[in-house]
Amino acid sequence: MSIVKTKVQIKKFLSLPLLLIFLTISAAAQDSARLQVRVVDPNGAVVAGAVLTLTGDNQNRQFTFTADEQGQYFFAGIPPGNYSLSVKAQGFAESTRQIEIKSSDAITLDVALQITISERIDVRLVEDNLTAITLSGDKLAALPSDPRQLLLRLQRLAGAGGNPNDLIIYVDGFREDGKLPPKETIAAIRINADPFSAEFPEPGRARVEIITKPATERFRGELNFYFADESLNARNSFARERAPLQMRNFSGAFSGPIKRERWGYFLEFSRNSREDNALINALTINPTTFQPFPFNATVSTPARTNAFSARTSRLFGKTHTFDARYGFVDTLQRNQGLDSSFDLPERSVSTNWRENSLRFSLLSVLSENSFNEARLSLSRKRYRAEAVNQNYAILVFDFFNAGGNQESLFLDEASRNMRVENNFTRIAGNHSLKFGVSASAISYESTDRSNFGGTFIFGSDFERNDRGFPVSIYSYVSPLESYQLTLLRRVGYRPLQFSINQGDPFASLKQWDGAIFAQDDWRVSGRLTVSLGLRAETQTNLKGVNFAPRAALAVRPFKNVESVLRVGAGFFYSRVDSGITLDAIRYDGSRVEELVVQRPPFFPTVPAVLNRAVALTTIRTKSPDLTAPYNFISTISYWQQLSKNFNATISYNWQRGVHLLRTRNVNAPVPGTNNVRPNDALGAILQYESTGNLQRHEFNFGLQGSLIDKFSFYGNYRLAFADSDTDGAKTAAANSYDLTSERGRSAFDQRHQFYFESYVQLPFGIYFSPNVFIASGAPFNILTGRDDNGDTLFTDRPAFANPGDAGALATRFGTFNLNPQAGDRIIPRNYGRGASQISINFNLSKTIFFGAEKSGQTAQLDQGNCSSGILQKIRCGLDRRYGLTFSADVYNVINRTNFVEFNNVVTSPKFGLPNRAADARRFQLGISLSF
């Protein structure tokens, strides 16, 4: 990158904070009479999310808004007069008081609410987690409408880093499999709430709780259309020209009463059509000239999703609320499976995913101090994938993949899921007690013909003489050269491995899991809260019951300073995925036989019958002592209010993972025995084990605040150190008999992460929300591209070497020996380091209100109809019937090239260089009509 270009990017990056400072000063200059309200409980703890309604004497001026995370709200630009202020909060009795406001007033009020139990709310005496993030109103409106971008935004807010599996999503108490509801149906999002709650199997940092909009007391609706194409986008740095792109997302939501104040409905539908593209950046061999030539192209990857849901809520008597909903999703995708940038178009796959679901919940108020919440979820899912090319596959490491996509040759999977849970809450003095039980069952029926066509693998090889013998163990050829010389039929050159599956592809599985928990949130005093919990979990296909105790306390250390010190620790178990058991059932050597031939002599023609003298059977199994992985997490954090509108948090988290999953070949050739395996009758025995571990240290510093009613922000910097000896159940060791060399950086360990977002009210009712994400490079594994130890796994890593050693290969990551001998020190796992990432995005929107004026109670602000928090009369148009919102989302504003994939085979001439980049700058436009 040139110096001039670097200076331009720095100027672009620095211009954002300067713009925010200017907007902040402009907003401050427009301030007028205002009312600041702070909502607390009887002990002085803040009450976040309280609903405040300010009503004028003539009933024609009425404003309704929601308090922020600090229990505060600023009413700005209020006309003089007499008003009634009503404050409502979940779990507290309503409070009402009269207020007189003059033109120059700046009134500050503390409203203390009395604890009670409402008909619809789960109440706890424990203080709200002040490090939690709550998104509603304007903050929610500024989130992306694109589901992929919205999920990425939530990952960054939660600090999930590069591992999407760290993020667990709950929608109205129901756990989702990575799915998000349409943004227009969301009322609020909470992140990191109750981090050590025994109610949930995972910690709060990884949990996103979404609350959807309820059925309303009057008819309301919303229609949305979002559009994007390539005309405004930038070109991907690896593409020769700007790739075509079309996105058409149409959605709508309607709700209203069936019987006023007793029975309502909510309907939602959407159709998302997206014609994106996959970039191919490969180097292959011309079949005529046998010379290397670059293959660079973009392939259209059309996808279409139709979704529909219907929900009804009914209040029975005064104590029971019943909610029922039905959901349907159908997704059809073409030309999938081209994600690596090495896959040629012929490897594309067509997929179809369909789900039907039913969900029921019942909330019952049993007494003034207790209530019960019951949920039942039923779903049926069907997934089908089929490769467009049924031929055998050719994989040439770090250069290209051709032929059929054998990983997804054909898959037809049906699953039925049921989950039932019941939670009971009791308020007893200063104790908030909660008890619960849950159970789920899943049934799989799967037909999987993966690799039934066979796969040839080409990796690194030695330079060979005219008799086919290596010239020297220090003279290498790259995977592409090996493939080229094999096509030219040079003596001694052939694929490193051929594998093919045969047998019955059908397998089925049933699995249950269950859990019980108890939680006590005890307010010892107004300055100390103690939380104790215990969770017990079990599942079939594993032995034993896992107990997960958790504890946390929150203390206000200073009388005259708004601050909270929090300490917590707990055990968190992970369920073992049913796919592991399904693999062990299918690939047991009799149902499906996975045959492997080392250095096959028959390329490119696959014989009808393989020679069983050289074709070894690979099986997959589970370790007899396989157990559920768990993490012990401890944290200490300190939150302090720096001023009336600003607060900061600093925290330290320590995590230790135990019994983490990995794969190990327990029948690998014993070192020093000339490829003798413990069981000579079989090839590889790939065993799932729970023998991995992880250790992570994380430091966080967060700052958030607001200025008047027109500017608020949230910023967080994270420094983390994570090392482990496995990255998941599919991680295989380089040496099955020595796991000590597997210790290295976790694959998702991005050492530095910075995230900042703000919400700004511009003049003329324009709303602006930028966000910035900066992260250091993620690690990647460095491989030799060979299987030197004969375990059929291409996970071999080089050893460290000194410059000048025989065969030493110098790289920008160090000097390596590609032929490690006994006693040589193998490089750690994930020793490579990728490039840093910078992403600046923003949302810009403007709402126009029109139509006949409302009157009386219908003039109240409807949370689903208008965002809260920005100049009530101007922003929300409370006296108008319709709202028309125009929006624009811009991703990667400065068009920075963020590399996401690196060549990791040492003998490749492009080793260590990037081969794929994230999206270049993209625009998305939208229009929304609410009524």
Side-chain angles (χ1 to χ4, degrees), residues 302-354:
R304 180 265 302 155
T305 298
N306 293 324
F308 170 78
S309 68
R311 184 168 92 241
T312 181
S313 298
R314 176 68 188 267
L315 179 65
F316 293 93
K318 295 184 177 181
T319 60
H320 301 282
T321 301
F322 178 74
D323 186 277
R325 64 188 72 189
Y326 166 75
F328 170 78
V329 179
D330 181 74
T331 299
L332 182 65
Q333 297 176 304
R334 304 295 185 200
N335 293 340
Q336 302 301 300
L338 307 178
D339 301 324
S340 73
S341 78
F342 294 121
D343 293 293
L344 302 185
E346 62 202 59
R347 284 178 54 81
S348 63
V349 177
S350 296
T351 67
N352 182 221
W353 183 80
R354 179 173 293 184

Side-chain angles (χ1 to χ4, degrees), residues 247-261:
M247 187 183 73
R248 305 285 190 277
N249 293 349
F250 180 74
S251 62
F254 304 94
S255 67
I258 299 175
K259 185 176 182 181
R260 191 167 296 278
E261 297 182 355

Side-chain angles (χ1 to χ4, degrees), residues 6 118 217 246 258 269 410 446 450 470 501 507 543 551 561 575 701 708 727 733 782 798 810 834 883 916 927:
T6 303
S118 70
E217 296 302 326
Q246 288 289 316
I258 299 175
F269 67 90
F410 178 83
S446 170
S450 296
N501 294 343
K543 297 179 181 179
V561 178
R575 295 180 177 89
F701 175 75
I708 315 174
D727 291 320
I782 296 177
R916 190 163 65 91
I927 183 171

Side-chain angles (χ1 to χ4, degrees), residues 652-655 694-699 718-723 749 751:
Y652 166 72
N653 301 284
W654 182 74
Q655 175 182 349
L694 171 145
Q695 185 166 270
R696 177 184 178 86
H697 301 270
E698 180 181 307
F699 302 87
R718 186 184 77 184
L719 173 64
F721 304 85
D723 61 281
D749 178 29
R751 194 60 48 86

Side-chain angles (χ1 to χ4, degrees), residues 403-621:
N405 193 321
Q406 292 297 319
E407 294 90 339
S408 302
L409 187 65
F410 178 83
L411 174 64
D412 190 353
E413 184 176 81
S415 65
R416 293 184 295 274
N417 303 266
M418 181 188 73
R419 182 170 183 82
V420 59
E421 54 188 311
N422 190 86
N423 296 332
F424 171 78
T425 301
R426 171 75 178 177
I427 305 297
N430 288 338
H431 294 266
S432 175
L433 306 171
K434 192 165 188 177
F435 309 91
V437 59
S438 63
S440 64
I442 185 168
S443 173
Y444 276 110
E445 291 183 351
S446 170
T447 299
D448 187 356
R449 296 179 59 85
S450 296
N451 207 31
F452 269 59
T455 300
F456 290 99
I457 293 179
F458 288 86
S460 302
D461 204 347
F462 300 104
E463 185 180 353
R464 298 177 181 273
N465 59 26
D466 55 4
R467 299 176 59 190
F469 296 110
V471 174
S472 168
I473 62 172
Y474 304 123
S475 181
Y476 318 108
V477 297
S478 71
L480 185 67
E481 292 172 312
S482 176
Y483 175 70
Q484 179 189 36
L485 294 170
T486 302
L487 291 180
L488 291 171
R489 300 188 180 278
R490 298 290 176 83
V491 178
Y493 292 101
R494 57 180 66 176
L496 296 186
Q497 181 175 287
F498 173 77
S499 63
I500 191 170
N501 294 343
Q502 300 175 354
D504 181 5
F506 178 80
S508 61
L509 169 71
K510 290 181 173 63
Q511 181 166 297
W512 287 78
D513 65 68
I516 59 174
F517 78 89
Q519 180 90 19
D520 179 14
D521 296 326
W522 175 28
R523 185 178 295 280
V524 181
S525 67
R527 295 176 57 187
L528 175 64
T529 300
V530 177
S531 177
L532 300 173
L534 178 64
R535 182 179 180 87
E537 301 175 349
T538 186
Q539 73 172 80
T540 56
N541 303 314
L542 284 181
K543 297 179 181 179
V545 178
N546 301 313
F547 293 94
R550 297 164 194 179
L553 64 86
V555 59
R556 295 181 179 272
F558 308 109
K559 289 184 178 181
N560 301 321
V561 178
E562 288 292 332
S563 60
V564 177
L565 176 67
R566 292 180 171 274
V567 180
F571 291 84
F572 298 87
Y573 283 86
S574 301
R575 295 180 177 89
V576 175
D577 188 83
S578 54
I580 290 177
T581 304
L582 197 64
D583 267 359
I585 293 173
R586 176 179 283 117
Y587 299 105
D588 61 355
S590 58
R591 186 185 302 268
V592 171
E593 194 174 22
E594 187 175 0
L595 299 174
V596 176
V597 181
Q598 301 281 33
R599 296 187 60 81
F602 45 74
F603 179 81
T605 303
V606 180
V609 179
L610 292 177
N611 184 352
R612 291 305 179 116
V614 295
L616 301 175
T617 300
T618 296
I619 66 174
R620 300 175 187 269
T621 184

